[in-house]
Amino acid sequence: MKLAHWLSVGVMVSGLVSGSTSANASDITLQLRQRPFGLSSPDRQRLADTTAEIAQARSSDAIRAISTWRSAAEQYRLLNDLEGQQRAYRALSQLYAQQQLPVEAEYALRQTLGFARVRRDFSALVQNYNEIGTVLLGRSSSTEAEKSFSEGLRIATDLGDRAGQGLGWTNLGLAAQRRGQDQVAIERLKTGIAFYQGTSDVVGEAIASNYLGDSYRNLGDAQQSAGAHLNALILARSSGSVGTQDQAMAGLASAYDRAGSTDSARNVLDQRLTLAMSGINTLARVSAFRAMAEFSQRQGDLAATDRYYQKAIAIASSSGLTVEVREMSQKLENLRRGYHLSPLRNGWR
């Protein structure tokens, strides 16, 4: 398949949510024939660029950033600046994802994909198809997600983009895993890892190794699961990816625990907690304390279980994580009732 195929405005992923992306691409092509008032105005271009800079500076305030990026996107549209619109919608897609707005995120990604096609930005196409697939996968549309991942993989293959092929195979593996087809997932993930190993994308390889460990665990192979997660942890540490390290340690502790290596599991959970406390990610801290509580409960250490749950609840409460607070509070209450213990009896604090 030739790269020219991907420049055809009408070619889209069959069966995806709607045919709107083809329409969007047609709209973009039409924009190229238009010359709205002020198209060549340096002042309008500077205004649009300044608005984008302000939006970028507001990245920590998602609501304001979204509003500002929308304004920038409209200003770039009036200038027929496709690169600017592509950048604005990509930023919007990331902000919508952070705000857990999958429909809006998908729309922004489809806009980004349309601009990338018209601009012949093939690397962006690979990324966009994979990101759209990820959004669809999060909405439990694994079949549709797989179609999008496959499109991205085809383009990456045409480009000879090994990292892009690694990403495509990794995501296809994840889609199979979500459908409960872990043996298929393992083969795809191994293929993705092989492509990543020929690139500098260490984080991508670590992520694929974590997914591989998850599939081995699902199949009951604790030893292979531990090996995959340990490899992911080594790679993540070398790249400095804290989030990937956290996932690797969570998987590795689970694999050790299932294999009966409780001391090793405890050591990894301690390391995970130390890493979480050294960072600023509140959810990672809550997850680390919660994992320690669950591990302590399995070991029959009720006093430690109580302490870890209380710390996790306190952090979640101070950060407004109401769902987590409710879930953990209910678990702790049920645990206390089950053992007929009060918070101050038999070592509970």
Side-chain angles (χ1 to χ4, degrees):
M1 187 178 294
K2 304 299 183 184
L3 288 177
H5 164 80
W6 303 107
L7 296 178
S8 175
V9 171
V11 176
M12 289 304 299
V13 182
S14 62
L16 286 177
V17 170
S18 72
S20 63
T21 313
S22 295
N24 290 336
S26 298
D27 291 343
I28 294 165
T29 303
L30 181 60
Q31 288 180 27
L32 294 173
R33 302 173 186 156
Q34 299 175 339
R35 295 185 61 84
F37 177 76
L39 173 64
S40 60
S41 168
D43 290 338
R44 286 176 177 259
Q45 185 68 55
R46 280 194 294 271
L47 176 61
D49 291 339
T50 299
T51 303
E53 290 173 2
I54 294 172
Q56 185 64 46
R58 291 175 173 173
S59 58
S60 60
D61 184 345
I63 302 302
R64 294 181 68 197
I66 286 172
S67 176
T68 310
W69 273 119
R70 283 176 174 170
S71 178
E74 175 62 15
Q75 291 172 34
Y76 283 129
R77 185 190 70 79
L78 293 174
L79 288 164
N80 279 340
D81 184 340
L82 301 185
E83 189 277 333
Q85 291 179 79
Q86 181 178 334
R87 186 171 73 256
Y89 277 107
R90 177 162 180 75
L92 282 168
S93 72
Q94 295 170 341
L95 289 165
Y96 286 136
Q98 291 173 13
Q99 294 297 298
Q100 298 182 342
L101 298 169
V103 175
E104 290 82 354
E106 182 186 345
Y107 172 78
L109 283 169
R110 290 185 183 281
Q111 292 286 341
T112 307
L113 186 147
F115 293 120
R117 181 186 297 107
V118 175
R119 295 184 60 242
R120 305 170 66 95
D121 189 344
F122 295 111
S123 294
L125 282 174
V126 172
Q127 192 70 26
N128 292 158
Y129 273 116
N130 278 283
E131 289 175 341
I132 289 173
T134 299
V135 171
L136 290 169
L137 197 60
R139 292 163 60 184
S140 300
S141 301
S142 60
T143 300
E144 301 306 326
E146 191 167 87
K147 293 176 182 178
S148 191
F149 294 145
S150 295
E151 293 298 313
L153 178 58
R154 289 185 184 183
I155 303 173
T157 301
D158 286 344
L159 288 172
D161 177 1
R162 291 186 63 86
Q165 291 175 79
L167 177 62
W169 281 112
T170 296
N171 283 331
L172 285 170
L174 182 59
Q177 185 184 97
R178 294 288 177 84
R179 291 198 305 272
Q181 299 175 339
D182 284 288
Q183 197 58 59
V184 174
I186 287 170
E187 295 307 313
R188 291 177 175 179
L189 290 166
K190 284 182 175 178
T191 301
I193 289 171
F195 276 109
Y196 274 130
Q197 287 175 341
T199 74
S200 60
D201 193 345
V202 179
V203 175
E205 184 181 348
I207 291 171
S209 291
N210 271 330
Y211 292 152
L212 182 62
D214 292 341
S215 278
Y216 276 127
R217 184 184 64 245
N218 293 341
L219 293 176
D221 193 335
Q223 183 176 357
Q224 292 277 28
S225 178
H229 285 302
L230 183 57
N231 183 57
L233 180 57
I234 294 170
L235 292 168
R237 281 175 173 167
S238 71
S239 66
S241 175
V242 175
T244 309
Q245 288 180 64
D246 179 76
Q247 293 171 0
M249 285 188 281
L252 184 58
S254 178
Y256 282 150
D257 197 12
R258 287 172 179 243
S261 301
T262 54
D263 288 343
S264 296
R266 188 188 302 276
N267 288 336
V268 172
L269 288 173
D270 283 336
Q271 292 175 38
R272 183 188 181 196
L273 182 56
T274 299
L275 178 68
M277 294 304 292
S278 68
I280 61 174
N281 189 322
T282 301
L283 189 56
R285 292 183 178 187
V286 172
S287 297
F289 273 115
R290 185 171 185 169
M292 289 295 291
E294 293 169 347
F295 175 80
S296 298
Q297 183 179 354
R298 289 193 297 273
Q299 299 305 306
D301 189 343
L302 303 181
T305 301
D306 185 82
R307 288 196 300 272
Y308 285 127
Y309 265 132
Q310 288 195 60
K311 288 179 180 178
I313 291 169
I315 295 172
S317 180
S318 65
S319 303
L321 301 174
T322 56
V323 174
E324 288 77 4
V325 170
R326 184 168 58 251
E327 289 179 353
M328 291 186 293
S329 296
Q330 187 63 56
K331 285 190 175 184
L332 183 54
E333 181 181 351
N334 292 341
L335 181 66
R336 288 173 172 173
R337 286 178 178 176
Y339 287 94
H340 306 288
L341 295 172
S342 70
L344 298 179
R345 188 181 302 163
N346 294 335
W348 285 61
R349 295 291 185 269

